[in-house]
Amino acid sequence: MPAPERIPPGRVTSVDLLAKGELTVRGRVREASNAVLYCSVSYEGEKAHCVYKPVAGERPLWDFPDGTLAQREVAAYELCEAMGWSLVPPTVLRDGPYGEGMVQLWIEADPSASLLALVEDEEPGEGWKAVGFAEVGEGRTALLVHADDARLRRLAVLDAVINNGDRKGGHLLPTVDGALYAIDHGVTFNVDDKLRTLLWGWAGESLPPEAAESLATLAAALGEGTPLTTRLAELLTAAEVEALRGRVDALRESGRHPGPSGEWPAIPWPPV
């Protein structure tokens, strides 16, 4: 399925389709650690494919409250939209065949797009950013790099804001029309610094002007009593919302991409 098209005014939106449509399970994504079901959804003549992650299929994590991953996925979508960056596919929380869960529009990635690579050189080539060296077997190492891409850079900022503890290569979905989407945001919004990502190439560099503008917009949207704050209060704890505000303020004050804290593994495993 191609990336979600822009639906003209007056027609069913992607969010309406996901939230109100009839959900039919078609199969299971078996590579996932939690239950992830591939579904179709239809509503008032509109149809699409989507992913359904029931809360009942979530495996407990020691550092997150049980049964909260679906809410965090929705919170990541809501917050990304508030920043003006449509990097997260439309995502809703609703009841489904196996109870309440997260439902997200399916994105078909372009298999020819290359955003990550392992290279034999000591330094990244033009158009690439270094992440670090990785063992590739038989005592050999290679340099892990990611594209010096404005879309990825926005995503690196978003991950710092939502405190993403699991940004892997397989979560990046570039599409044939040039868009980039990111998925799997269940381990986010922790009050402790959990940032683990493959997108460290800009660490310590100044934030681009568009990121500074989006962070200013987000800071205003996170004021007391705003629609975004009210919505996030339904999905996260009060402490997590307050920690979110603190991360936004810290990014705006520093004006730079954060680096690894040193208190937590900087790169998720497995990295893809």
Coordinates of all heavy atoms in Angstrom, one line a residue, residues 100-184:
E100 N -9.0 -3.3 23.6 CA -8.4 -2.0 23.3 C -7.0 -2.1 22.7 O -6.3 -3.0 23.2 CB -8.5 -1.1 24.5 CG -8.0 0.3 24.2 CD -8.1 1.2 25.4 OE1 -7.4 0.9 26.4 OE2 -8.8 2.2 25.4
G101 N -6.7 -1.3 21.8 CA -5.3 -1.3 21.3 C -5.0 -0.1 20.4 O -5.9 0.7 20.1
M102 N -3.8 -0.1 19.9 CA -3.4 1.0 19.0 C -3.6 0.5 17.6 O -3.3 -0.6 17.2 CB -1.9 1.2 19.2 CG -1.3 2.3 18.3 SD -0.9 1.7 16.6 CE 0.6 0.9 16.9
V103 N -4.2 1.4 16.8 CA -4.4 1.1 15.4 C -3.7 2.2 14.6 O -4.0 3.4 14.8 CB -5.9 1.0 15.0 CG1 -6.1 0.8 13.5 CG2 -6.6 -0.1 15.8
Q104 N -2.9 1.8 13.6 CA -2.0 2.8 12.9 C -2.1 2.4 11.4 O -2.0 1.2 11.0 CB -0.6 2.7 13.4 CG 0.4 3.7 12.8 CD 1.8 3.5 13.4 OE1 2.5 2.6 13.1 NE2 2.0 4.4 14.4
L105 N -2.1 3.4 10.6 CA -2.2 3.3 9.1 C -0.9 2.5 8.7 O 0.2 2.8 9.1 CB -2.3 4.6 8.4 CG -2.7 4.6 7.0 CD1 -4.1 4.1 6.8 CD2 -2.6 6.0 6.4
W106 N -1.1 1.5 7.8 CA 0.0 0.7 7.3 C 0.7 1.6 6.2 O 0.1 2.2 5.4 CB -0.5 -0.5 6.6 CG 0.5 -1.4 6.0 CD1 0.9 -1.3 4.7 CD2 1.3 -2.4 6.6 NE1 1.9 -2.3 4.5 CE2 2.2 -2.9 5.7 CE3 1.3 -2.9 7.9 CZ2 3.1 -4.0 5.9 CZ3 2.2 -3.9 8.2 CH2 3.1 -4.4 7.2
I107 N 2.1 1.6 6.3 CA 2.9 2.3 5.4 C 3.8 1.3 4.6 O 4.5 0.5 5.2 CB 3.8 3.3 6.1 CG1 3.0 4.3 6.9 CG2 4.7 4.0 5.1 CD1 2.1 5.2 6.0
E108 N 3.7 1.3 3.3 CA 4.5 0.5 2.5 C 5.9 1.2 2.2 O 5.9 2.3 1.5 CB 3.8 0.1 1.2 CG 4.4 -1.0 0.4 CD 4.3 -2.4 1.1 OE1 3.2 -2.6 1.6 OE2 5.3 -3.1 1.2
A109 N 7.0 0.6 2.7 CA 8.3 1.3 2.5 C 8.8 1.0 1.1 O 8.5 0.0 0.5 CB 9.2 0.8 3.6
D110 N 9.6 2.0 0.6 CA 10.3 1.8 -0.6 C 11.6 1.0 -0.4 O 12.5 1.4 0.3 CB 10.7 3.2 -1.1 CG 11.5 3.2 -2.4 OD1 11.7 2.1 -3.0 OD2 12.0 4.2 -2.9
P111 N 11.7 -0.2 -0.9 CA 12.8 -1.1 -0.6 C 14.1 -0.6 -1.2 O 15.2 -1.0 -0.8 CB 12.4 -2.4 -1.2 CG 11.4 -2.1 -2.3 CD 10.7 -0.9 -1.8
S112 N 14.0 0.3 -2.2 CA 15.3 0.8 -2.8 C 15.9 2.0 -2.1 O 17.0 2.4 -2.3 CB 15.0 1.2 -4.3 OG 14.1 2.4 -4.3
A113 N 15.1 2.6 -1.1 CA 15.7 3.7 -0.3 C 16.7 3.2 0.7 O 16.6 2.2 1.3 CB 14.5 4.4 0.4
S114 N 17.8 4.0 0.8 CA 18.9 3.7 1.7 C 19.1 4.8 2.7 O 19.6 5.9 2.3 CB 20.1 3.4 0.9 OG 21.2 3.0 1.7
L115 N 18.9 4.5 3.9 CA 19.1 5.5 5.0 C 20.2 5.1 6.0 O 20.7 6.0 6.7 CB 17.8 5.8 5.7 CG 16.6 6.4 4.9 CD1 15.4 6.5 5.8 CD2 17.0 7.8 4.4
L116 N 20.5 3.8 6.0 CA 21.5 3.3 6.9 C 22.5 2.5 6.1 O 22.1 1.8 5.1 CB 20.9 2.5 8.0 CG 20.0 3.2 9.0 CD1 19.2 2.1 9.8 CD2 20.8 4.1 9.9
A117 N 23.8 2.4 6.5 CA 24.7 1.6 5.8 C 25.9 1.2 6.8 O 26.1 1.9 7.8 CB 25.3 2.3 4.6
L118 N 26.6 0.1 6.4 CA 27.9 -0.2 7.1 C 29.0 0.0 6.0 O 28.9 -0.6 4.9 CB 27.8 -1.7 7.6 CG 27.0 -1.9 8.8 CD1 26.8 -3.4 9.0 CD2 27.7 -1.3 10.0
V119 N 30.0 0.7 6.4 CA 31.1 1.0 5.4 C 32.4 0.6 6.0 O 32.6 0.6 7.2 CB 31.1 2.5 5.0 CG1 29.8 2.9 4.3 CG2 31.3 3.4 6.2
E120 N 33.3 0.3 5.1 CA 34.7 -0.1 5.6 C 35.6 1.0 5.9 O 36.6 0.8 6.5 CB 35.3 -1.0 4.5 CG 34.5 -2.2 4.1 CD 34.5 -3.3 5.2 OE1 35.4 -3.2 6.1 OE2 33.6 -4.1 5.3
D121 N 35.2 2.3 5.6 CA 36.1 3.4 5.8 C 36.1 3.8 7.3 O 35.2 3.5 8.1 CB 35.6 4.6 4.9 CG 35.6 4.2 3.5 OD1 36.6 3.5 3.0 OD2 34.7 4.6 2.8
E122 N 37.1 4.7 7.6 CA 37.2 5.2 9.0 C 36.2 6.4 9.2 O 35.9 6.7 10.3 CB 38.6 5.6 9.3 CG 39.6 4.5 9.3 CD 39.4 3.6 10.5 OE1 39.2 4.1 11.6 OE2 39.5 2.4 10.4
E123 N 35.9 7.1 8.1 CA 35.1 8.3 8.2 C 33.9 8.1 7.2 O 34.0 7.4 6.2 CB 35.9 9.5 7.8 CG 37.0 9.8 8.7 CD 36.5 10.3 10.1 OE1 35.4 10.8 10.2 OE2 37.3 10.2 11.1
P124 N 32.7 8.7 7.5 CA 31.6 8.6 6.6 C 31.8 9.4 5.3 O 32.6 10.4 5.3 CB 30.4 9.3 7.4 CG 31.1 10.2 8.3 CD 32.4 9.6 8.7
G125 N 31.3 9.0 4.2 CA 31.4 9.7 3.0 C 30.5 10.9 2.9 O 29.7 11.1 3.9
E126 N 30.6 11.6 1.9 CA 29.7 12.8 1.7 C 28.3 12.4 1.7 O 27.9 11.4 1.1 CB 30.1 13.5 0.4 CG 29.3 14.8 0.2 CD 29.7 15.5 -1.1 OE1 30.7 15.1 -1.7 OE2 29.1 16.6 -1.4
G127 N 27.5 13.1 2.5 CA 26.0 12.8 2.5 C 25.7 11.8 3.6 O 24.5 11.5 3.7
W128 N 26.7 11.5 4.4 CA 26.4 10.5 5.5 C 26.9 11.0 6.8 O 27.9 11.8 6.9 CB 27.1 9.1 5.2 CG 26.5 8.5 4.0 CD1 26.9 8.7 2.7 CD2 25.4 7.6 3.9 NE1 26.1 7.9 1.8 CE2 25.2 7.2 2.6 CE3 24.6 7.0 4.9 CZ2 24.2 6.4 2.2 CZ3 23.6 6.1 4.5 CH2 23.4 5.8 3.2
K129 N 26.4 10.5 7.9 CA 26.8 10.8 9.3 C 27.2 9.5 10.0 O 26.5 8.5 9.9 CB 25.7 11.5 10.0 CG 25.4 12.9 9.6 CD 26.4 13.9 10.1 CE 26.0 15.3 9.9 NZ 27.0 16.2 10.4
A130 N 28.3 9.6 10.8 CA 28.8 8.4 11.5 C 28.0 8.2 12.8 O 27.7 9.2 13.5 CB 30.2 8.6 11.8
V131 N 27.7 7.0 13.1 CA 27.0 6.6 14.3 C 28.1 5.9 15.3 O 28.2 6.2 16.4 CB 25.9 5.6 14.1 CG1 25.2 5.2 15.4 CG2 24.9 6.2 13.2
G132 N 28.9 5.0 14.7 CA 29.9 4.3 15.5 C 30.3 3.0 14.8 O 29.7 2.6 13.8
F133 N 31.3 2.4 15.4 CA 31.8 1.1 14.8 C 31.0 -0.1 15.3 O 30.6 -0.1 16.5 CB 33.3 1.0 15.0 CG 34.1 1.9 14.2 CD1 34.6 3.1 14.8 CD2 34.5 1.6 12.9 CE1 35.3 4.0 14.1 CE2 35.3 2.5 12.2 CZ 35.7 3.7 12.7
A134 N 30.8 -1.0 14.5 CA 30.0 -2.2 14.8 C 30.8 -3.5 14.4 O 31.5 -3.5 13.4 CB 28.7 -2.2 14.2
E135 N 30.7 -4.5 15.2 CA 31.3 -5.8 14.8 C 30.5 -6.5 13.8 O 29.3 -6.5 13.9 CB 31.4 -6.7 16.1 CG 32.4 -6.2 17.1 CD 32.5 -7.2 18.3 OE1 32.0 -8.3 18.1 OE2 33.2 -6.8 19.3
V136 N 31.1 -6.9 12.7 CA 30.4 -7.6 11.6 C 30.9 -9.0 11.4 O 30.6 -9.6 10.4 CB 30.7 -6.8 10.3 CG1 30.0 -5.4 10.4 CG2 32.2 -6.6 10.0
G137 N 31.6 -9.6 12.4 CA 32.0 -11.0 12.3 C 33.4 -11.2 12.0 O 34.1 -10.3 11.3
E138 N 34.0 -12.3 12.5 CA 35.3 -12.7 12.2 C 36.4 -11.6 12.6 O 37.4 -11.4 11.9 CB 35.5 -13.0 10.7 CG 34.6 -14.2 10.2 CD 34.8 -14.5 8.8 OE1 35.5 -13.7 8.1 OE2 34.3 -15.5 8.3
G139 N 36.0 -11.0 13.7 CA 37.0 -9.9 14.3 C 37.0 -8.7 13.5 O 37.8 -7.8 13.7
R140 N 36.1 -8.5 12.5 CA 36.1 -7.3 11.7 C 35.0 -6.3 12.2 O 34.0 -6.7 12.8 CB 35.7 -7.7 10.2 CG 36.7 -8.6 9.6 CD 36.3 -9.1 8.2 NE 35.7 -8.0 7.4 CZ 34.5 -7.9 7.0 NH1 33.6 -8.8 7.4 NH2 34.1 -7.0 6.2
T141 N 35.3 -5.0 12.0 CA 34.4 -4.0 12.3 C 34.1 -3.1 11.1 O 34.9 -3.1 10.1 CB 34.9 -3.1 13.4 OG1 36.2 -2.4 13.0 CG2 35.2 -3.8 14.7
A142 N 33.0 -2.5 11.1 CA 32.6 -1.5 10.1 C 32.0 -0.3 10.7 O 31.5 -0.4 11.8 CB 31.7 -2.2 9.1
L143 N 32.0 0.8 10.0 CA 31.4 2.0 10.5 C 29.9 2.1 10.1 O 29.6 2.0 8.9 CB 32.1 3.2 9.9 CG 31.7 4.6 10.3 CD1 32.0 4.8 11.8 CD2 32.4 5.7 9.5
L144 N 29.1 2.2 11.1 CA 27.7 2.4 10.9 C 27.4 3.8 10.6 O 27.8 4.7 11.4 CB 26.9 1.9 12.1 CG 25.4 2.1 12.1 CD1 24.7 1.2 11.0 CD2 24.8 1.7 13.5
V145 N 26.7 4.1 9.5 CA 26.4 5.5 9.2 C 24.9 5.6 8.8 O 24.2 4.6 8.5 CB 27.2 5.9 7.9 CG1 28.7 5.9 8.3 CG2 26.9 5.1 6.7
H146 N 24.4 6.8 8.9 CA 23.0 7.1 8.5 C 23.1 8.3 7.5 O 24.0 9.1 7.6 CB 22.1 7.3 9.6 CG 22.3 8.5 10.5 ND1 22.2 9.8 10.0 CD2 22.7 8.6 11.8 CE1 22.5 10.7 11.0 NE2 22.8 10.0 12.1
A147 N 22.1 8.5 6.7 CA 22.1 9.5 5.7 C 22.0 10.9 6.4 O 21.3 11.0 7.5 CB 20.9 9.4 4.8
D148 N 22.7 11.9 5.9 CA 22.6 13.3 6.3 C 21.3 13.9 5.7 O 21.4 14.6 4.7 CB 23.8 14.0 6.0 CG 23.9 15.4 6.6 OD1 23.0 15.7 7.4 OD2 24.8 16.2 6.3
D149 N 20.2 13.5 6.2 CA 18.9 13.7 5.5 C 18.0 14.6 6.5 O 17.9 14.3 7.6 CB 18.2 12.4 5.3 CG 16.9 12.4 4.5 OD1 16.0 13.0 5.1 OD2 16.9 11.9 3.4
A150 N 17.4 15.6 5.9 CA 16.6 16.6 6.7 C 15.4 15.9 7.4 O 15.0 16.2 8.5 CB 16.1 17.7 5.8
R151 N 14.9 14.8 6.7 CA 13.8 14.1 7.3 C 14.2 13.3 8.5 O 13.5 13.3 9.6 CB 13.2 13.2 6.3 CG 12.7 13.8 5.0 CD 12.4 12.8 3.9 NE 13.6 12.0 3.6 CZ 13.5 10.9 2.9 NH1 12.4 10.5 2.3 NH2 14.6 10.2 2.6
L152 N 15.4 12.7 8.4 CA 15.9 11.9 9.6 C 16.3 12.9 10.7 O 16.2 12.6 11.9 CB 17.2 11.2 9.1 CG 17.0 9.8 8.4 CD1 18.4 9.2 8.2 CD2 16.1 8.9 9.2
R153 N 16.8 14.1 10.3 CA 17.1 15.0 11.4 C 15.9 15.5 12.2 O 16.0 15.6 13.4 CB 17.8 16.3 10.7 CG 18.5 17.1 11.8 CD 19.5 18.1 11.1 NE 20.3 18.7 12.1 CZ 21.4 19.5 11.8 NH1 21.7 19.8 10.5 NH2 22.1 20.1 12.8
R154 N 14.8 15.7 11.5 CA 13.6 16.0 12.2 C 13.2 14.9 13.2 O 12.8 15.1 14.3 CB 12.4 16.2 11.2 CG 12.5 17.4 10.4 CD 11.3 17.6 9.5 NE 11.5 18.5 8.4 CZ 11.6 18.0 7.1 NH1 11.3 16.8 6.9 NH2 11.8 18.9 6.1
L155 N 13.4 13.6 12.7 CA 13.1 12.5 13.5 C 14.0 12.4 14.7 O 13.5 12.0 15.8 CB 13.2 11.2 12.6 CG 12.7 9.9 13.3 CD1 11.3 10.0 13.8 CD2 12.9 8.7 12.4
A156 N 15.3 12.7 14.5 CA 16.2 12.8 15.7 C 15.7 13.7 16.7 O 15.8 13.5 18.0 CB 17.6 13.1 15.2
V157 N 15.2 14.9 16.3 CA 14.7 15.9 17.3 C 13.4 15.3 17.9 O 13.2 15.4 19.2 CB 14.3 17.2 16.6 CG1 13.7 18.2 17.5 CG2 15.6 17.8 16.0
L158 N 12.5 14.7 17.2 CA 11.3 14.1 17.7 C 11.7 13.1 18.8 O 11.1 13.0 19.8 CB 10.4 13.5 16.6 CG 9.2 12.8 17.1 CD1 8.2 13.7 17.8 CD2 8.5 12.0 15.9
D159 N 12.6 12.2 18.4 CA 13.0 11.1 19.4 C 13.5 11.7 20.7 O 13.3 11.2 21.8 CB 14.0 10.2 18.7 CG 13.4 9.3 17.7 OD1 12.2 9.0 17.8 OD2 14.2 8.7 16.9
A160 N 14.3 12.8 20.6 CA 14.8 13.5 21.8 C 13.6 14.0 22.6 O 13.7 13.9 23.9 CB 15.8 14.6 21.5
V161 N 12.6 14.5 22.0 CA 11.5 15.1 22.7 C 10.7 14.0 23.4 O 10.3 14.1 24.6 CB 10.6 15.9 21.7 CG1 9.2 16.2 22.4 CG2 11.3 17.1 21.2
I162 N 10.4 12.9 22.7 CA 9.6 11.8 23.2 C 10.4 10.8 24.0 O 9.8 9.9 24.6 CB 8.7 11.1 22.2 CG1 9.6 10.4 21.2 CG2 7.8 12.1 21.4 CD1 8.9 9.6 20.1
N163 N 11.7 11.0 24.1 CA 12.6 10.1 24.9 C 12.5 8.7 24.4 O 12.2 7.8 25.1 CB 12.2 10.2 26.4 CG 13.3 9.7 27.3 OD1 14.4 9.5 26.8 ND2 13.0 9.4 28.5
N164 N 12.7 8.5 23.1 CA 12.5 7.2 22.4 C 13.6 6.3 22.9 O 14.8 6.5 22.6 CB 12.5 7.4 20.9 CG 12.0 6.1 20.2 OD1 11.9 5.1 20.8 ND2 11.8 6.3 18.9
G165 N 13.2 5.2 23.5 CA 14.2 4.2 23.9 C 14.5 3.1 22.9 O 15.2 2.1 23.3
D166 N 14.0 3.2 21.7 CA 14.2 2.1 20.8 C 14.1 2.5 19.3 O 13.2 2.0 18.6 CB 13.1 1.0 21.1 CG 13.4 -0.3 20.4 OD1 14.6 -0.7 20.3 OD2 12.4 -1.0 20.0
R167 N 14.9 3.4 18.9 CA 14.9 3.9 17.5 C 15.8 3.0 16.6 O 17.0 3.2 16.5 CB 15.3 5.3 17.3 CG 15.4 5.8 15.8 CD 14.1 5.6 15.1 NE 13.1 6.6 15.5 CZ 11.8 6.3 15.5 NH1 11.3 5.2 15.1 NH2 10.9 7.3 15.9
K168 N 15.2 2.0 16.0 CA 16.0 1.0 15.2 C 15.8 1.3 13.7 O 14.9 2.0 13.3 CB 15.5 -0.4 15.5 CG 15.7 -0.9 16.9 CD 15.1 -2.3 17.1 CE 15.4 -2.7 18.5 NZ 14.8 -4.0 18.8
G169 N 16.7 0.7 12.9 CA 16.6 0.9 11.5 C 15.4 0.5 10.8 O 14.8 1.1 9.9
G170 N 14.8 -0.6 11.4 CA 13.6 -1.2 10.8 C 12.4 -0.3 11.1 O 11.3 -0.6 10.5
H171 N 12.5 0.7 11.9 CA 11.4 1.6 12.2 C 11.3 2.7 11.3 O 10.4 3.6 11.4 CB 11.5 2.1 13.6 CG 11.6 1.0 14.7 ND1 12.0 1.3 16.0 CD2 11.2 -0.3 14.6 CE1 11.9 0.1 16.7 NE2 11.5 -0.8 15.9
L172 N 12.2 2.8 10.3 CA 12.3 3.9 9.4 C 11.6 3.5 8.1 O 12.1 2.5 7.4 CB 13.7 4.3 9.1 CG 14.6 4.7 10.3 CD1 16.0 5.0 9.9 CD2 14.0 5.8 11.1
L173 N 10.6 4.2 7.6 CA 9.8 3.8 6.4 C 9.8 4.9 5.4 O 8.9 5.7 5.3 CB 8.4 3.4 6.8 CG 8.2 2.3 7.9 CD1 6.8 2.0 8.1 CD2 8.9 1.0 7.4
P174 N 10.9 5.0 4.6 CA 10.8 6.0 3.5 C 9.9 5.4 2.4 O 9.8 4.2 2.1 CB 12.3 6.0 3.0 CG 12.8 4.7 3.4 CD 12.1 4.2 4.6
T175 N 9.1 6.3 1.7 CA 8.2 5.8 0.7 C 8.6 6.3 -0.7 O 9.5 7.2 -0.8 CB 6.8 6.4 1.0 OG1 6.8 7.8 0.9 CG2 6.3 6.0 2.4
V176 N 8.0 5.8 -1.7 CA 8.3 6.1 -3.1 C 8.1 7.5 -3.4 O 8.7 8.0 -4.4 CB 7.6 5.1 -4.1 CG1 8.1 3.7 -3.9 CG2 6.1 5.2 -3.9
D177 N 7.2 8.2 -2.7 CA 6.9 9.6 -3.0 C 7.8 10.6 -2.3 O 7.6 11.8 -2.3 CB 5.4 9.9 -2.8 CG 5.0 9.8 -1.3 OD1 5.9 9.4 -0.5 OD2 3.9 10.0 -1.0
G178 N 8.8 10.0 -1.6 CA 9.8 10.9 -0.9 C 9.5 11.2 0.5 O 10.2 12.0 1.2
A179 N 8.4 10.7 1.1 CA 8.1 10.9 2.5 C 8.9 9.9 3.4 O 9.4 8.9 2.9 CB 6.6 10.7 2.7
L180 N 8.9 10.3 4.6 CA 9.5 9.4 5.6 C 8.6 9.2 6.8 O 8.1 10.2 7.3 CB 10.9 9.9 6.1 CG 11.5 9.1 7.3 CD1 11.9 7.7 6.8 CD2 12.7 9.8 7.9
Y181 N 8.3 8.0 7.2 CA 7.5 7.7 8.3 C 8.3 6.9 9.3 O 9.2 6.2 8.9 CB 6.2 7.0 8.0 CG 5.3 7.8 7.1 CD1 5.4 7.8 5.7 CD2 4.3 8.7 7.7 CE1 4.5 8.5 4.9 CE2 3.5 9.5 6.9 CZ 3.6 9.4 5.5 OH 2.8 10.2 4.7
A182 N 7.9 7.0 10.6 CA 8.6 6.2 11.7 C 7.5 5.5 12.5 O 6.5 6.1 12.8 CB 9.5 7.2 12.5
I183 N 7.8 4.3 12.9 CA 6.9 3.5 13.6 C 7.5 3.0 14.9 O 8.7 3.1 15.1 CB 6.3 2.3 12.8 CG1 7.5 1.4 12.3 CG2 5.6 2.9 11.5 CD1 7.0 0.2 11.6
D184 N 6.7 2.3 15.7 CA 7.1 1.6 16.9 C 7.5 2.6 18.0 O 8.7 2.8 18.3 CB 8.2 0.6 16.7 CG 7.6 -0.7 16.0 OD1 6.4 -0.8 15.9 OD2 8.4 -1.5 15.6

